[in-house]
Amino acid sequence: MLPYLTMRLEFEDAFSWLSTLGGAYSSLGDQFHQCASVAGRISQQQFILAKKIGDPYLMSRCYVFLSLSLMQRGFLKYAQFILRKQFAFATQREEITDVRLVAMCRGAWCKLQYLYELKRQKRTFQTELKVNEI
């Protein structure tokens, strides 16, 4: 029992460090594409740790982190797919709802909707420019 607890504490400590590092890179990822890629790789490392711990809710959070990295890199459809799956997982059973995971999914979904709106506005603006050039 003691070796298991020691291993779990070490994994959780490593997970915390990766979360801090991933959050920093994700914050920079809005401005720098390379940082968004690093944040995505960090979320993959977090997923590996979460899988070793055996916590499905922690694994789901890692997917949400990955979706944020994908959004920053412009892969909106992939991010949308991941978020739908994770939200469905988070809300599949009322008695075991991870409130934090649901909130993370909703927050990431809002960011995704915002990015889709920016993309739509950019397309509209470019279309207007082309029409005005003619």
Side-chain angles (χ1 to χ4, degrees):
M1 182 72 171
L2 188 59
Y4 172 77
L5 288 176
T6 304
M7 181 184 70
R8 174 120 181 161
L9 287 174
E10 287 176 6
F11 280 154
E12 288 184 14
D13 184 53
F15 196 87
S16 294
W17 278 103
L18 287 172
S19 288
T20 301
L21 190 59
Y25 274 101
S26 180
S27 178
L28 291 169
D30 287 331
Q31 302 298 321
F32 305 104
H33 189 271
Q34 182 64 26
C35 291
S37 296
V38 172
R41 286 194 299 274
I42 290 171
S43 65
Q44 290 171 338
Q45 293 302 312
Q46 286 178 301
F47 179 82
I48 291 168
L49 280 177
K51 193 171 182 181
K52 286 181 181 178
I53 292 171
D55 185 340
Y57 291 98
L58 199 54
M59 292 185 323
S60 184
R61 287 185 202 162
C62 294
Y63 276 121
V64 175
F65 298 149
L66 179 61
S67 75
L68 291 168
S69 170
L70 290 169
M71 283 183 233
Q72 290 173 323
R73 291 182 282 156
F75 300 109
L76 302 183
K77 289 282 185 195
Y78 292 118
Q80 181 180 7
F81 175 79
I82 289 171
L83 287 175
R84 284 179 193 249
K85 297 276 278 183
Q86 299 321 304
F87 186 77
F89 169 76
T91 58
Q92 69 185 354
R93 289 187 283 187
E94 284 185 32
E95 69 275 2
I96 311 178
T97 299
D98 184 341
V99 177
R100 192 178 328 160
L101 177 58
V102 171
M104 288 173 62
C105 288
R106 286 185 174 145
W109 189 262
C110 287
K111 182 172 183 166
L112 180 65
Q113 296 307 304
Y114 171 73
L115 291 173
Y116 270 124
E117 179 61 23
L118 284 180
K119 190 175 181 180
R120 186 193 64 75
Q121 287 176 3
K122 184 178 177 182
R123 246 189 346 256
T124 301
F125 181 73
Q126 288 174 344
T127 303
E128 288 174 3
L129 280 178
K130 288 180 182 176
V131 168
N132 290 336
E133 288 176 357
I134 297 177

